[in-house]
Amino acid sequence: MDKKTSVHEDIPLFKQLEKQHPFLLMLYFAMVGSGMLFLFLLVGFTKSLIKVDENLLLLPKAFVISTLLILLSSYFVQKAWQNFLTDEAKSLRQNLLYLLILGFCFSISQVWGWSDLTKQGIGFSGKAAGSYLYVLTGLHILHLLGGLAFVIAQIANYNKACNDGVQALIMFSNKYEKMKMKMLKDYWHFLDVLWIIIFLYLVFKI
Amino acid sequence: MSAVDTQNLETQVHHDEHHDHEHHEQSFIRKYIFSEDHKVIAKQFLITGIFWAVIGGVFSVIFRLQLGFPDANLEVLRPILGGWITEQGKLDQNFYLALVTMHGTIMVFFVLTAGLSGTFSNFLIPLQIGARDMASGFLNMLSYWFFFASSVVMFASIFIQTGPASGGWVIYPPLSALPKASLGSGLGMTMWLVSMALFIVGSLLGSINYVTTVINLRTRGMSMWRLPLTIWAFFLTAVIGILSFPVLFSAALLLIFDRSFGTSFYLDEIYIDGEALHNTGGSALLFQHLFWFLGHPEVYIVLLPALGITSEIIATNSRKPIFGYQAMVLSMLAITFISFIVWAHHMFVTGMNPFLGSVFMLLTLIIAVPSAVKSFNYITTLWRGNIVFTPAMLFSIGLVSFFISGGVTGIALGNSAIDIQLHDTYFVVAHFHLVMGSASFFGMMAGVYHWFPKMFGRMMDEKLGYVHFWITFVGVYFVFFPMHYIGIAGFPRRYYSWTNFDAFNMYADLNMLISIAAIITLSAQFIFMFNFFYSIFYGRLAPLNPWRSNTLEWTTSRLPGHGNWEGKIPTVYRWPYDYSKPGAKEDFIPQHIPHYETLESNLEHEKALEEYDKEVAKEEEIHISSHSH
């Protein structure tokens, strides 16, 4: 009972977490949950590889393009974050617009990858190993579409700030707005890293 | 006495924050149906849980009728079950399987996950950590309504013509993956999967909220080491949920694809009527891995909240500090961690590598260590305490009893060699019904009796509570203890009848005894239900702190409104287990009493806190007055 009453705790990471806005923390935990989902799909995929010929699966070229696109989009979301910190409403909106376009292009490129897969004879309802490629990418796109909805909401949000200096001032000094932007940035990087991990795993496993 | 003083002081000083939450009367719909208030959501979870518990309990009695009285004519049930009673007056065999499956699903997920964790995490987290509400009231509301939608789908599946899912609550493919495989593998299984997908979403929304609330919204002074053990338990339960439910989601998702979109994630080289199916390349065993990666932690999702509730109730009603607070927390942390690396002990007989089996066996047996620490700590807390036998206390002690007697058989079952004989027998049924089913159920009951005054502002009837406890406690042992013997004899679970096996005839009496005990135990639950619903409206008005307890929820008004505390949120100065402190005026010192008010009972190392608490109190006051000007 003696030490319990000590006044200070020294868990630095925990202290940091405590200081975050709850919504941000919730996003992080949701990302952990999503991560588990993808992790176990990758485990299932690995197991299913035992039952297929080595050269049955070919990685569609479109997936390489997607990878470049999402890397580029992560660059723009980082720039948008910088813009928020330096109060540049116009370029902030501009960068979010690029992000939106790249996000859509990424999704289209993924779907294009699916048609490549089908052409190779790897259908959704074929061998299990092939089906995993669809499920992994499909769930990732779903996650990404959620992010895109958020981007659209943010663009609409910053439209006001672009035309009105007072609005901009209010917005950029608002802690809640900053947290929202940080949520967007972190979530987008999560999507990026998630895809890169899936992509690299596929490259080395196929 | 000092408690009363500070409370008065606080209400005098802090009138100013009232403007936050005094006006705006909410409409009926916002207040009771689509409510974002954690207390209302908790009650919604509780009442939905009770509804499901009745259904799950009645189901078990119906299949116990078949097991205990295989020759009986069940024609009386025709008005309820209709076509599921055959022309000979027997229970339909397909429906028997459906009953077993639904009993498991309902009890594990809808009663003990949603009903227990959903109720008490929601109700107690904000109240005990000193928060106005959950981190996100909206997501919290969404969490309940996802659960509600999931309930509606599951409930509807009971009434469809082909019956609900019937492949066991573990829904192993290929039985569950091929709609043709059995009657319940058709529409019933589809609805099961849809319902579970919704359930998982709701559960995740809840868990994320609980974890964030505990980390972010604790009141001043409420360090992690001053949290009541209930909160630690809910916190770790939610962490387990976040890590394991997504895995069940992936398992269910792949199964949905297999059933409806022609994929073969779990299917490989299957023949029906001599004809090969097109599915190749899947693995049925993969499902078991995915399922049990959730399934085993799920045991602790169900059990940990009950253990937390018990810690709190036993300490309060023994009038003693909980024995080994830190050991309790660390053992819960250990259970949380180990729960993720033992799942394959459910799969010893799937043909896994015996070496792998021995690894999982070792890890499984290690769980006995933190579990034993908890058991010892409960018993040593009771040791020489001034025990007050409230109904909640009795149910808590009952939990400890089940936890031990069910846990001991777990040590036997965890051995991969013994499991070859005992796998899927009634020994397993007896083990998990005691250690996880009954123990968690008793934790839930203890929680209801203990926090009913805070939930509804009234007391439940104690005498009815005692009757409820003793019938249930004795009944549970009469139901599950004989099952050990039947299991050792080799009775397989989920079988419709054993009358074809001569070897098992000598156990007919024992089965009958179990069934009679089950009927009596279920009947006793209606005493509780009457007590519960009657007391909501007509119970004796509850005093502010009926159990003379230390935690923060008892510093609120009799029926706390939106925002929980009318004035300022209390500051916390001590841990929650200062019961019977030597020298203290009362045998309890609530958490919000600063050390400078309890000079007579402060221990040597707490002298430094007297000054510190004074400064904290002063700062808080400055903070308040700067607000009001």
Side-chain angles (χ1 to χ4, degrees), chain A residues 5 18 20 25-26 51 132, chain B residues 209 216 218 268 282 286 605:
Chain A
T5 34
E18 279 179 326
Q20 302 300 327
L25 218 53
M26 286 171 137
K51 294 194 181 172
Y132 276 108
Chain B
N209 228 331
N216 275 116
R218 281 171 287 125
D268 194 16
L286 172 71
H605 69 274

Side-chain angles (χ1 to χ4, degrees), chain B residues 114-158:
Chain B
L116 175 57
S117 178
T119 303
F120 290 104
S121 298
N122 261 312
F123 191 74
L124 292 179
I125 289 178
L127 279 172
Q128 288 197 333
I129 66 172
R132 295 271 179 224
D133 207 312
M134 285 286 178
S136 167
F138 179 72
L139 286 190
N140 208 18
M141 176 184 85
L142 223 52
S143 155
Y144 174 76
W145 287 102
F146 266 103
F147 168 58
F148 185 82
S150 137
S151 292
V152 169
V153 176
M154 192 64 87
F155 189 65
S157 85
I158 297 172

Side-chain angles (χ1 to χ4, degrees), chain B residues 267-337:
Chain B
L267 299 170
D268 194 16
E269 317 220 353
I270 291 184
Y271 293 80
I272 293 184
D273 297 334
E275 245 178 86
L277 299 183
H278 78 278
N279 307 81
T280 48
S283 158
L285 208 53
L286 172 71
F287 180 86
Q288 296 199 21
H289 281 292
L290 294 181
F291 182 86
W292 285 114
F293 191 85
L294 159 95
H296 196 80
E298 170 68 23
V299 170
Y300 296 98
I301 291 177
V302 163
L303 189 61
L304 278 179
L307 293 177
I309 288 170
T310 300
S311 311
E312 179 66 29
I313 294 175
I314 284 189
T316 304
N317 289 301
S318 301
R319 315 308 297 163
K320 267 181 69 186
I322 190 86
F323 188 91
Y325 175 89
Q326 276 173 327
M328 287 299 236
V329 173
L330 292 177
S331 60
M332 281 198 282
L333 276 167
I335 287 174
T336 303
F337 174 69

Side-chain angles (χ1 to χ4, degrees), chain A residues 1-2 4-5 7 9 14 17-18 20 22 25-26 29 32-33 36-37 40 51 124-126 128 131-132 135, chain B residues 208-209 211-212 215-216 218 223-224 243 246 250 262-265 268 280-282 286 293 325 575 605 609 612:
Chain A
M1 222 197 316
D2 316 329
K4 237 157 284 132
T5 34
V7 181
E9 283 176 82
F14 197 78
L17 284 179
E18 279 179 326
Q20 302 300 327
L25 218 53
M26 286 171 137
F29 290 124
V32 172
M36 291 299 287
L37 183 66
F40 276 79
K51 294 194 181 172
F124 179 55
S125 54
S131 311
Y132 276 108
V135 174
Chain B
I208 289 172
N209 228 331
V211 174
T212 310
I215 292 179
N216 275 116
R218 281 171 287 125
S223 68
M224 289 303 272
L243 291 175
S250 69
T263 56
S264 30
F265 291 109
D268 194 16
T280 48
L286 172 71
F293 191 85
Y325 175 89
W575 76 324
H605 69 274
L609 287 172
Y612 180 82

Side-chain angles (χ1 to χ4, degrees), chain B residues 296 300 331 334-342 345 361-373 403 411:
Chain B
H296 196 80
Y300 296 98
S331 60
I335 287 174
T336 303
F337 174 69
I338 303 172
S339 73
F340 284 103
I341 47 174
V342 299
H345 69 218
M361 179 180 118
L362 176 73
L363 294 170
T364 302
L365 296 186
I366 289 176
I367 273 209
V369 177
S371 307
V373 168
F403 188 56
I411 297 175

Side-chain angles (χ1 to χ4, degrees), chain B residues 480-607:
Chain B
F480 297 116
F481 213 81
M483 283 188 188
H484 291 106
Y485 300 108
I486 301 178
I488 293 170
F491 273 52
R493 63 194 278 211
R494 300 199 180 108
Y495 273 36
Y496 175 74
S497 95
W498 300 297
T499 39
N500 291 335
F501 305 101
D502 284 339
F504 293 153
N505 279 344
M506 61 184 289
Y507 292 103
D509 292 352
L510 210 50
N511 263 317
M512 208 184 291
L513 173 75
I514 294 176
S515 294
I516 293 169
I519 293 168
I520 294 172
T521 313
L522 179 74
S523 316
Q525 306 319 305
F526 290 96
I527 301 175
F528 164 77
M529 299 242 299
F530 169 77
N531 195 354
F532 181 83
F533 287 109
Y534 183 86
S535 304
I536 291 179
F537 300 104
Y538 306 108
R540 189 160 53 82
L541 286 187
L544 282 183
N545 190 354
W547 320 118
R548 298 154 59 79
S549 182
N550 284 344
T551 37
L552 287 184
E553 74 270 29
W554 305 108
T555 62
T556 59
S557 58
R558 186 174 71 87
L559 265 179
H562 205 53
N564 293 342
W565 283 270
E566 275 159 24
K568 194 178 122 339
I569 298 177
T571 306
V572 164
Y573 295 100
R574 57 179 75 232
W575 76 324
Y577 297 107
D578 269 342
Y579 290 108
S580 303
K581 205 172 179 185
K585 289 177 193 138
E586 296 261 7
D587 70 345
F588 70 114
I589 310 173
Q591 281 191 281
H592 67 284
I593 306 298
H595 284 93
Y596 59 80
E597 286 184 15
T598 56
L599 298 176
E600 65 285 351
S601 65
N602 287 348
L603 300 172
E604 206 47 50
H605 69 274
E606 286 167 337
K607 300 270 190 245

